[in-house]
Amino acid sequence: MKFRDLRSFLTALETSGELVRVSAELSPQYEIAAAIKAIARKQGKAVLLDNVKGYPVPIIGNLLGSTRRLAMALDIAEKDLPAAYLEGRKNPVTPKVIAGGPVQEIVADSAIDILGTIPVLTHHQKDAGPYLTCAFVVAKDPISGVRGLGIHRIQVKSRDMVGIFLASPPLSDFLARAEERDKPLAIAIVVGADPITYFASPQLAPPGMDKYELAGGLAKSPIELVKCKSVAVEVPAHAEFVLEGYVLPRRREEEGPFGESTGYYLTYQNPVAKIKVITHRRNPIYHALVPFSGEERVLQFPRFQIEPLDWLRAISPSVRQVHCPTFGVIYVQIEKQTDADAAVVIEALFSRSGVPYSKIVVVVDTDVDILNPDEIVWALATRVRPDKDLLIQPDLPGLVIDPSASISQEAAEPYRLRARTAKLGIDATKPLAERDKYEKVDVPLPVKQRVNRILGI
């Protein structure tokens, strides 16, 4: 494993020119989030802020804000990301529990004060307060003991209380089973893990696979874990911070508003947890993610692009590429063999269980670059016949963080499945009988290749 902790990865990023340092004093309330967002938008680089007002703790943001940095973390070429991810899923590596690790160099088990210890950011103007945005929560199934983890938004409510948006499995299922027994759910909240474990934590692991195993498969090396001090949960030995505690059974409080990844403020009635212990490294680094800034798309790269490509090709051999430019929108490039191919792809994305993010699906031909927004718009403008090429289906699973979705109040239904929305499929491909009519203008290929060689592009 090339980078066993966040620190070694930051050193590599700085050496390669992928890291910007900010030495000006900035506040955790709004200012640091604004700085991370601005640098991410203009330079695309990771941001290390060394001078945090009121804290001796530096903050790193936009860590995996590009697939280039994700490839660096995995020590592979960027073009090999899909194959490396699928290989890691197929070859998980069991984590290794060690006696102790740097994350427990400092242990606070009394007079807990989250904001007195950690510079948690307040990101947006109407946010209810400070939020942990890229911490992952670790817990175990109260029945089977199976371990699960995932990234969930976490509001700091007081010195030792947090609200957690536990709306997705496996942790939402673990909490439901604990509450059936009127028991608290033991959790650990991890901040500042190594980049591969951080990346693996929000993925949809195959049934029965521990996400530490997935991280080990991606790293081709076991992830080193330590046992928590107060709960029966294991956490990465080389993380920066860990908050240990319990989700209280059957207790819900207002959590939010919070500026979500979809770009809107959302408020929920969510579980709350009491923090009993905070452990951290000496001279720790706080890891932050600014929602609605782009890094989420890299974290969801497998779910939005690699995994759909894998199973869509099994359904339709015509599929060549998949791209998700933002939450809810998917572009699919196909090499069309029949005029029904686009509809087959759209129906597959609409009907597949567990794909609520496929709200708008656009299918294009191989002469359309799905990574180029201008070419997508061109295909929509010149190849779509609205009376023939649009497919709308109502009342399908949607995203709970989509403000346009309707939310069922049926308590027996898992919260993640309560969002319902209509979906739109657009066939922006050329009719096979009229392909010549839609031939894309271009210069001769040999000329283009020669000119590119001369220009060095």
Side-chain angles (χ1 to χ4, degrees):
M1 186 173 181
K2 187 169 185 180
F3 305 110
R4 72 175 186 172
D5 59 14
L6 174 63
R7 297 160 184 233
S8 58
F9 187 52
L10 296 185
T11 299
L13 292 182
E14 188 160 33
T15 300
S16 63
E18 285 286 333
L19 178 71
V20 173
R21 282 185 178 265
V22 176
S23 58
E25 182 183 72
L26 294 175
S27 169
Q29 186 175 42
Y30 308 130
E31 290 184 346
I32 288 177
I36 293 170
K37 200 164 191 173
I39 291 172
R41 183 175 62 250
K42 293 181 180 179
Q43 300 182 44
K45 296 185 178 182
V47 188
L48 184 62
L49 302 108
D50 295 310
N51 194 352
V52 179
K53 186 175 182 179
Y55 292 89
V57 179
I59 294 177
I60 179 69
N62 200 38
L63 185 73
L64 295 181
S66 71
T67 52
R68 180 174 60 256
R69 289 199 290 282
L70 174 58
M72 286 181 61
L74 294 169
D75 198 23
I76 59 172
E78 191 173 356
K79 66 180 178 59
D80 295 330
L81 277 172
Y85 177 77
L86 293 173
E87 181 185 355
R89 281 173 67 90
K90 292 173 184 174
N91 298 283
V93 175
T94 303
K96 178 171 129 182
V97 178
I98 61 176
V103 74
Q104 294 176 341
E105 288 172 339
I106 307 295
V107 178
D109 56 9
S110 63
I112 297 299
D113 184 1
I114 299 170
L115 295 181
T117 307
I118 308 173
V120 186
L121 301 186
T122 303
H123 301 82
H124 302 114
Q125 184 175 358
K126 292 187 177 180
D127 284 356
Y131 268 83
L132 297 155
T133 49
C134 58
F136 59 81
V137 184
V138 189
K140 290 183 178 179
D141 187 320
I143 299 174
S144 68
V146 169
R147 183 171 49 212
L149 54 147
I151 293 179
H152 302 265
R153 77 188 214 187
I154 301 170
Q155 180 186 354
V156 179
K157 289 176 165 286
S158 66
R159 293 172 63 94
D160 63 354
M161 299 293 292
V162 298
I164 309 180
F165 187 29
L166 288 177
S168 57
L171 269 60
S172 58
D173 297 332
F174 295 176
L175 177 60
R177 290 172 194 139
E179 289 184 326
E180 287 171 0
R181 291 157 179 76
D182 201 29
K183 298 288 187 182
L185 179 69
I187 61 168
I189 300 169
V190 179
V191 181
D194 68 87
I196 295 179
T197 305
Y198 164 55
F199 171 69
S201 64
Q203 306 312 327
L204 287 176
M209 182 185 292
D210 186 323
K211 290 184 186 177
Y212 288 141
E213 295 176 333
L214 172 60
L218 295 172
K220 297 183 172 60
S221 176
I223 304 301
E224 291 186 338
L225 307 177
V226 292
K227 294 181 179 179
C228 286
K229 294 293 185 179
S230 64
V231 294
V233 175
E234 298 78 32
V235 294
H238 304 279
E240 298 292 324
F241 291 96
V242 170
L243 293 77
E244 303 176 10
Y246 296 88
V247 180
L248 305 180
R250 304 184 187 283
R251 180 168 165 181
R252 302 292 186 271
E253 293 180 0
E254 183 170 277
E255 180 266 295
F258 174 68
E260 261 291 356
S261 301
T262 47
Y264 297 95
Y265 293 100
L266 296 172
T267 302
Y268 301 97
Q269 293 293 317
N270 278 330
V272 294
K274 186 172 184 65
I275 303 304
K276 295 286 193 178
V277 172
I278 297 177
T279 72
H280 61 84
R281 297 180 69 142
R282 293 189 183 91
N283 304 314
I285 301 168
Y286 178 68
H287 181 192
L289 179 149
V290 180
F292 197 51
S293 64
E295 186 173 2
E296 305 103 318
R297 289 196 291 275
V298 177
L299 291 176
Q300 299 293 349
F301 178 65
R303 189 183 303 186
F304 287 170
Q305 294 176 214
I306 300 175
E307 292 166 14
L309 180 61
D310 199 37
W311 60 259
L312 275 176
R313 280 178 171 168
I315 294 169
S316 176
S318 67
V319 174
R320 294 294 172 266
Q321 290 188 73
V322 176
H323 177 54
C324 180
T326 190
F327 285 95
V329 179
I330 297 180
Y331 302 150
V332 184
Q333 184 193 72
I334 67 172
E335 190 167 353
K336 193 170 175 179
Q337 302 300 314
T338 75
D339 280 321
D341 287 349
V344 169
V345 168
I346 292 168
E347 291 281 0
L349 282 167
F350 282 1
S351 63
R352 183 171 169 83
S353 175
V355 190
Y357 53 81
S358 56
K359 182 178 179 181
I360 299 174
V361 178
V362 181
V363 183
V364 298
D365 297 293
T366 53
D367 63 347
V368 176
D369 181 359
I370 64 172
L371 301 181
N372 185 334
D374 291 338
E375 294 219 353
I376 295 293
V377 172
W378 169 71
L380 290 171
T382 62
R383 298 184 181 182
V384 175
R385 302 160 298 178
D387 60 327
K388 299 178 180 179
D389 296 327
L390 305 186
L391 174 64
I392 299 175
Q393 290 189 8
D395 196 32
L396 293 174
L399 285 169
V400 293
I401 58 173
D402 177 359
S404 71
S406 60
I407 306 296
S408 165
Q409 299 305 311
E410 178 54 57
E413 192 173 30
Y415 194 83
R416 68 183 185 277
L417 300 179
R418 294 186 194 178
R420 309 295 291 185
T421 186
K423 298 193 175 185
L424 170 65
I426 304 175
D427 180 355
T429 62
K430 299 174 283 189
L432 289 176
E434 300 179 314
R435 280 180 295 188
D436 292 344
K437 178 180 173 182
Y438 291 89
E439 183 177 0
K440 186 180 182 182
V441 298
D442 204 352
V443 298
L445 180 59
V447 173
K448 183 162 44 175
Q449 291 172 335
R450 180 174 182 275
V451 170
N452 288 348
R453 284 197 301 271
I454 292 171
L455 298 176
I457 57 177

